Amino acid sequence: MALADPVRRDLLRRLAAGPARVADLAAPHPISRPAISKHLRILTEVGLTAAQDHGRERHYRLLPGGLAPIADLIDELSPRPPFAESALDGLDLEVRRTVREHVGEQTPRTSPHATEETA
Amino acid sequence: MALADPVRRDLLRRLAAGPARVADLAAPHPISRPAISKHLRILTEVGLTAAQDHGRERHYRLLPGGLAPIADLIDELSPRPPFAESALDGLDLEVRRTVREHVGEQTPRTSPHATEETA
DNA sequence: AACATTAGTAACCGATAAGTTACCAATCTT
DNA sequence: AAGATTGGTAACTTATCGGTTACTAATGTT
């Protein structure tokens, strides 16, 4: 994903404040200009930015539409209206939990990763 | 970023429909179960999911709050109300463009990446 | 008690990604 | 026209990532 890289996110934030030349975009970053160039290419390829040449400089700007796919994903992952099924699953879990509770047990296993709750 | 991987996005979509066991989460994917385990660890580390043990099975569920950071980013990148500065930059670009227009020029350079507009 | 099932860890491998330096092209400046 | 500025490409290096197989632990089943 294009948003995966912190440098790229930074570039986008900068561009959210308006178009900018490559040199200006690169300035705040400790990495080489070719590296910035690559990031800009990636952002452009996925439709998040676009460029316009003005003589020897190139102005990049944000294409807000490019965010749509991610926006879609996040609300696809927000079980807002129809959390009916979800609620049922939760009920199911609750039932099983309650049942096991009455037999008495602990759950160690091989130090599982961040199991937080061991209901 | 955790959302960078398609498998992970799939797991999240599945979990959006309610909690699930690891085996069920792994089933639709052609990759090995340890690979799924890794993905689940990553998702859990960034706070997108959580797990509960039920005997020998482990139920993962979505933690909707985990999406906040990305949600924040996307609307941070949406120059909605204060696009005043942006508008000014655009104007500036337009001015320079217009000026150059009257001198006559083409812009080839070394086959730049997806320059689209060469105003 | 023996076996099957569920799931995590360890160690390793190949591909990808992000960075570097060196170089070139085009445009502006003087 | 010479030199400086701007920005992209090429080739390479290294670190990270996603995957694999082999193994182990714990729980459930018969």
Side-chain angles (χ1 to χ4, degrees):
Chain A
M1 187 187 282
L3 296 184
D5 190 280
V7 175
R8 241 128 55 199
R9 286 193 295 266
D10 250 44
L11 291 173
L12 291 175
R13 286 198 200 89
R14 170 56 240 271
L15 289 175
R21 308 179 311 139
V22 173
D24 295 339
L25 290 168
H29 295 95
I31 66 179
S32 71
R33 206 202 63 276
I36 298 288
S37 236
K38 270 195 200 173
H39 285 302
L40 289 172
R41 175 171 56 210
I42 290 171
L43 290 173
T44 301
E45 278 171 358
V46 302
L48 279 166
T49 59
Q52 279 176 276
D53 285 348
H54 290 273
R56 70 180 160 185
E57 25 189 79
R58 179 167 296 183
H59 296 248
Y60 280 89
R61 70 179 189 285
L62 198 67
L63 293 188
L67 293 166
I70 312 99
D72 288 355
L73 176 66
I74 70 150
D75 70 41
E76 187 179 354
L77 294 182
S78 304
R80 283 187 307 266
F83 61 92
E85 189 193 354
S86 176
L88 287 178
D89 285 356
L91 180 61
D92 176 41
L93 289 176
E94 184 58 20
V95 169
R96 305 177 63 159
R97 188 188 69 75
T98 307
V99 170
R100 301 191 73 261
E101 210 94 298
H102 291 265
V103 196
E105 75 293 276
Q106 299 88 315
T107 314
R109 209 195 286 267
T110 62
S111 109
H113 57 64
T115 307
E116 71 156 37
E117 299 143 60
T118 311
Chain B
M1 187 187 282
L3 297 184
D5 190 279
V7 174
R8 241 127 56 197
R9 287 194 295 267
D10 249 45
L11 291 172
L12 291 175
R13 286 198 199 89
R14 171 55 242 271
L15 288 175
R21 308 178 311 139
V22 174
D24 294 340
L25 290 168
H29 296 94
I31 66 180
S32 70
R33 207 197 63 303
I36 298 288
S37 237
K38 271 195 198 173
H39 285 302
L40 290 171
R41 174 170 57 211
I42 291 170
L43 290 174
T44 300
E45 277 170 0
V46 301
L48 279 166
T49 60
Q52 280 176 276
D53 284 350
H54 289 272
R56 71 180 160 185
E57 28 189 75
R58 177 168 297 183
H59 295 247
Y60 279 89
R61 71 180 188 285
L62 197 68
L63 292 187
L67 293 166
I70 312 98
D72 288 356
L73 176 66
I74 69 152
D75 71 41
E76 188 179 354
L77 293 183
S78 305
R80 283 186 308 267
F83 61 93
E85 188 193 356
S86 175
L88 287 179
D89 285 356
L91 179 59
D92 175 42
L93 289 176
E94 184 58 20
V95 169
R96 306 178 63 160
R97 188 189 69 75
T98 307
V99 170
R100 300 193 74 263
E101 209 94 299
H102 291 265
V103 195
E105 76 291 277
Q106 300 90 311
T107 314
R109 210 194 286 268
T110 61
S111 110
H113 57 64
T115 307
E116 72 157 33
E117 298 142 62
T118 311

